[in-house]
Amino acid sequence: MNNNSSRRLATTAAALLGCFVAASPAQEQCSPGNCRIAVTVTNCQAPGGITVDLDPVPVDSPRNMRWEIVTPGYVFPANGIDFSPPNAQFEPKNSPKANEVHIFNRKTQNGDFYYYINITDGSGNACARADPTVRNN
């Protein structure tokens, strides 16, 4: 192999590795069967005070989705994740913990689907809602 071939091979390998590394965080958070979305509360009452680590949430196949509040002291009410408008492809499941909401995304339609995150503090007071997106590809 000559120097030009070695350089091209090294450049191609570096480019491919860069693509792989860039794609890794989303793949770690949303596997083909499951998807965990971390919800952080920095200021319960302020607009923008609730954030998610993935917005939009990319969905390429049917999957279980789990929103988890990672900030202690906050819980989801019964309507913790509220799709607007309601959509039958998002099927609520029993959630074992007050800081989690589980939904099965059947992925029967492609597009962007907006939802609200509803959270209450330890005293039951409602926080300002967040409005991220699920993107069915």
Side-chain angles (χ1 to χ4, degrees), residues 47-64:
I50 297 172
T51 57
V52 293
D53 65 343
L54 201 55
D55 184 23
V57 179
V59 178
D60 295 326
S61 61
R63 68 185 63 199
N64 293 306

Side-chain angles (χ1 to χ4, degrees), residues 54-118:
L54 201 55
D55 184 23
V57 179
V59 178
D60 295 326
S61 61
R63 68 185 63 199
N64 293 306
M65 302 177 76
R66 176 174 55 102
W67 284 263
E68 179 182 355
I69 302 171
V70 296
T71 309
Y74 296 92
V75 298
F76 285 113
N79 66 337
I81 300 297
D82 186 20
F83 282 88
S84 180
N87 190 307
Q89 74 180 328
F90 300 105
E91 180 183 337
K93 298 291 186 180
N94 289 334
S95 300
K97 300 176 185 175
N99 70 324
E100 292 183 4
V101 170
H102 295 208
I103 292 176
F104 180 69
N105 180 351
R106 292 186 186 119
K107 201 195 160 298
T108 56
Q109 300 171 322
N110 288 337
D112 287 350
F113 299 92
Y114 302 96
Y115 66 95
Y116 291 106
I117 297 176
N118 300 299

Side-chain angles (χ1 to χ4, degrees), residues 23 27 34 40 48 61 77-78 82 88 95-96 101 125 128 137:
Q27 295 303 318
N34 292 288
T40 303
S61 61
D82 186 20
S95 300
V101 170
N125 299 313
N137 299 313

